[in-house]
Amino acid sequence: MSQTTPSASPTASIPKVGFVSLGCPKALVDSEQIITQLRAEGYEISDTYDGADLVVVNTCGFIDEAVQESLDAIGEALNENGKVIVTGCLGAKKSASGSGLIEEVHPKVLAVTGPACGGRSDAARAYASAQAARSVCRSRARAAGVIKLTPRHYAYLKISEGCNHRCTFCIIPSMRGDLVSRPVAEVMLEAENLFKSGVKELLVISQDTSAYRLDVKYRTGFWNGKPIKTRMTDLV
């Protein structure tokens, strides 16, 4: 009786994720974090809609023009690819009826999340199978090997999230939440890693840069064994 040699199982293809990044430098840093997490977990980034198993759209929702641009980008990704997850500020915006604006305009999106949904990025698991998608969340810390989306000579250095002011003309607190200052040692380590990677200019950014420190009351951190207070003058 002859034996049949079992055929080798096909090699699983590496999932590819397309990425569209819109909005301000703060949103660009979020995109860098998500893409870095995707690559760290074995996903490839696709340059085209056709070559992607999933498309992530990082949106802006600050002004009317940005809202429309984001909605148009989501629509384009749906038309060109069909599998779309939305993150960013517009994900936290409500429509006039009180429901999610994106879900109301584009009900076919797989998942919608705001810019800060806590914890580490789950973007790499967003396309776990052909039938399932999970929300995309940003990670607060940036790895030493972060994938930059800026030219080599400069980088954005985000030092905090959110804002405690309640200006009637501004919707940032409703989208980004209250002030959360990053630990000063974490910021310094990121700055050091960016410098080592060849960055010559660091652009310090946040929603309310002058408020950096207030929520942690000048908490002392340690960098290279030296104490350093959480405040802008010490950071500089």
Side-chain angles (χ1 to χ4, degrees):
M1 182 174 180
S2 62
Q3 292 183 338
T4 303
T5 303
S7 59
S9 59
T11 303
S13 60
I14 299 175
K16 294 183 179 180
V17 178
F19 208 97
V20 178
S21 183
L22 304 170
C24 66
K26 277 85 69 178
L28 186 70
V29 170
D30 292 345
S31 295
E32 291 176 339
Q33 294 166 352
I34 295 172
I35 291 173
T36 298
Q37 188 67 47
L38 283 166
R39 291 292 297 273
E41 297 193 14
Y43 285 67
E44 291 186 2
I45 305 302
S46 174
D47 294 331
T48 65
Y49 289 123
D50 292 340
D53 299 298
L54 173 82
V55 176
V56 177
V57 181
N58 189 13
T59 60
C60 178
F62 186 51
I63 59 176
D64 291 343
E65 289 81 359
V67 170
Q68 190 57 54
E69 181 186 21
S70 294
L71 291 174
D72 291 345
I74 296 168
E76 178 181 293
L78 283 169
N79 290 333
E80 297 293 333
N81 183 278
K83 302 180 185 69
V84 179
I85 285 179
V86 180
T87 187
C89 288
L90 192 59
K93 198 177 181 80
K94 302 296 183 181
S95 67
S97 64
S99 60
L101 176 63
I102 293 173
E103 293 93 335
E104 188 172 286
V105 178
H106 295 297
K108 292 184 179 180
V109 296
L110 299 177
V112 177
T113 179
C117 48
R120 58 182 294 283
S121 171
D122 283 332
R125 297 188 178 88
Y127 194 69
S129 69
Q131 279 72 34
R134 300 181 184 178
S135 296
V136 179
C137 299
R138 63 170 178 78
S139 169
R140 290 185 183 278
R142 296 172 78 192
V146 67
I147 297 173
K148 290 172 63 271
L149 300 178
T150 54
R152 176 179 172 82
H153 66 282
Y154 75 87
Y156 294 112
L157 182 64
K158 188 191 289 189
I159 61 173
S160 67
E161 281 286 359
C163 179
N164 287 341
H165 299 296
R166 295 297 183 266
C167 303
T168 57
F169 58 83
C170 182
I171 62 173
I172 282 180
S174 67
M175 295 188 296
R176 288 274 176 174
D178 292 332
L179 174 71
V180 179
S181 297
R182 289 180 63 194
V184 65
E186 182 182 291
V187 176
M188 291 297 295
L189 178 61
E190 180 181 347
E192 183 178 33
N193 288 331
L194 288 169
F195 174 75
K196 289 178 179 178
S197 72
V199 170
K200 303 298 182 183
E201 180 179 4
L202 295 176
L203 306 178
V204 177
I205 59 172
S206 66
Q207 275 73 48
D208 187 0
T209 305
S210 64
Y212 177 69
R213 80 201 179 283
L214 294 180
D215 57 319
V216 296
K217 305 184 186 302
Y218 302 91
R219 181 184 299 152
T220 299
F222 290 87
W223 178 63
N224 287 344
K226 298 178 181 179
I228 178 172
K229 286 187 176 295
T230 305
R231 59 186 175 192
M232 182 59 69
T233 51
D234 290 39
L235 185 64
V236 172

